[in-house]
Amino acid sequence: MAKRDKLYEGKAKTIFATDNAHQLIQYFKDDATAYNAQKHEVIMGKGVLNNAISYHIMSALGAAGIKHHLIKKIDHREQLIRKCDIIPVEVVVRNIAAGSMVARLAGKHIPIDLGTCLKTPMVEYYLKEDALKDPLITAEHITGFDLASEDELKQMRLTSLAINRILGDLFNGIGITLVDFKLEFGRPSQRQEDDPLLILADEISPDNCRLWDKATGDIKDKDRFRKSMGGLVEAYQDIANRFGITIAAT
Ligand code: TMP
């Protein structure tokens, strides 16, 4: 497999073509952004940690029967992935109220606060459109504007809830509470026999989860950067250590 042209440069990752039309390389950068990229820093070592943690988590999900885009980890910064047509919808699953849910909804009618346990996990959808600041959208928007079919939407929702159960147990096992997380799905460019309509894409790392230490309440995710708390690499390293992941040299 040979690396070819850069196809897309995102905020935290870059995608390259390969000599296989159905496979891409996903490169993890050290860049951290928040608030629609208004806040931006380069945090040495973040990309290496996210590559390793996301590889570990995707592999665990795969072993539990969730179909994903990951083929293999190439080195400390790169993964070989299946090419997908990404659905332009971010699926967020929440177990505990935090972040934009509290900012948007907490009040007289919905008396939640940071840290309120939700009665049941809640799924939200956001349009992937930087220029509109990724607005919250409804299931009707997704099907009505042809972002995904009814069947694809149903699969995204059910798979996201299944992933929540698997990830919740995985993090519970290392003394971490899974507060919320974001997923992306895509249509594989080349379908395999046992493929569902959509497969899990992107990454699952402390960049797109909220992770709180069960014993101390310590924040172990990108909120450390959003809130300018410092100690982001140390927190991500702690997650890797607890999973028993060995990190290659940067
Ligand atoms: P939020 O509370 O800011 O809406 O974020 C919910 C979860 O989704 C949180 O774990 C962070 C993650 N997330 C991303 O990964 N990318 C994003 O662009 C946003 C807005 C949230």
Side-chain angles (χ1 to χ4, degrees), residues 206-223:
D207 263 13
N208 39 47
C209 301
R210 283 198 173 89
L211 306 169
W212 295 349
D213 186 294
K214 280 185 185 295
T216 64
D218 250 15
I219 292 173
K220 301 285 181 185
D221 59 66
K222 206 171 100 175
D223 269 353

Side-chain angles (χ1 to χ4, degrees), residues 90 92 94 99-100 126 180-182 207-210 226:
E90 298 189 339
V92 168
R94 300 181 189 269
S100 72
Y126 293 85
D180 57 32
F181 58 96
K182 183 264 296 182
D207 263 13
N208 39 47
C209 301
R210 283 198 173 89
R226 296 187 189 96

Side-chain angles (χ1 to χ4, degrees), residues 58-91:
M58 284 263 184
S59 302
L61 289 174
I66 304 291
K67 289 287 274 183
H68 55 67
H69 71 160
L70 180 66
I71 299 169
K72 65 170 186 176
K73 188 163 178 263
I74 298 170
D75 62 18
H76 57 282
R77 292 254 174 209
E78 293 183 342
Q79 297 176 352
L80 187 66
I81 58 172
R82 293 176 62 189
K83 186 174 178 184
C84 288
D85 172 24
I86 298 289
I87 305 288
V89 171
E90 298 189 339
V91 183

Side-chain angles (χ1 to χ4, degrees), residues 41-250:
E41 265 174 51
V42 174
I43 303 179
M44 285 281 288
K46 182 175 83 78
V48 172
L49 282 157
N50 279 349
N51 182 18
I53 295 169
S54 189
Y55 174 76
H56 180 85
I57 291 175
M58 284 263 184
S59 302
L61 289 174
I66 304 291
K67 289 287 274 183
H68 55 67
H69 71 160
L70 180 66
I71 299 169
K72 65 170 186 176
K73 188 163 178 263
I74 298 170
D75 62 18
H76 57 282
R77 292 254 174 209
E78 293 183 342
Q79 297 176 352
L80 187 66
I81 58 172
R82 293 176 62 189
K83 186 174 178 184
C84 288
D85 172 24
I86 298 289
I87 305 288
V89 171
E90 298 189 339
V91 183
V92 168
V93 183
R94 300 181 189 269
N95 299 300
I96 293 176
S100 72
M101 170 175 260
V102 175
R104 185 181 299 111
L105 300 179
K108 183 165 55 112
H109 298 296
I110 305 183
I112 49 169
D113 210 343
L114 175 65
T116 303
C117 282
L118 303 175
K119 271 196 299 193
T120 182
M122 290 188 189
V123 180
E124 295 176 344
Y125 308 104
Y126 293 85
L127 182 67
K128 268 171 69 78
E129 179 87 65
D130 284 347
L132 299 175
K133 300 187 181 159
D134 295 356
L136 180 68
I137 55 173
T138 67
E140 277 82 355
H141 291 146
I142 293 174
T143 52
F145 292 121
D146 296 323
L147 304 175
S149 70
E150 292 277 0
D151 285 347
E152 287 172 333
L153 174 63
K154 187 173 170 198
Q155 195 217 307
M156 279 199 286
R157 180 170 184 281
L158 292 178
T159 305
S160 297
L161 287 169
I163 290 172
N164 185 45
R165 291 188 288 273
I166 300 163
L167 283 189
D169 287 348
L170 203 64
F171 281 111
N172 203 24
I174 60 165
I176 294 285
T177 299
L178 177 62
V179 175
D180 57 32
F181 58 96
K182 183 264 296 182
L183 302 173
E184 294 184 27
F185 293 87
R187 303 177 185 107
S189 65
Q190 186 178 46
R191 295 191 61 78
Q192 293 170 1
E193 209 179 303
D194 54 346
D195 272 347
L197 287 174
L198 302 176
I199 61 173
L200 178 66
D202 195 52
E203 69 177 300
I204 302 183
S205 73
D207 263 13
N208 39 47
C209 301
R210 283 198 173 89
L211 306 169
W212 295 349
D213 186 294
K214 280 185 185 295
T216 64
D218 250 15
I219 292 173
K220 301 285 181 185
D221 59 66
K222 206 171 100 175
D223 269 353
R224 298 201 76 89
F225 169 72
R226 296 187 189 96
K227 298 178 178 182
S228 302
M229 298 166 74
L232 179 135
V233 163
E234 291 77 3
Y236 287 25
Q237 183 70 61
D238 182 33
I239 296 292
N241 291 346
R242 292 187 199 204
F243 276 135
I245 300 170
T246 311
I247 306 291
T250 50

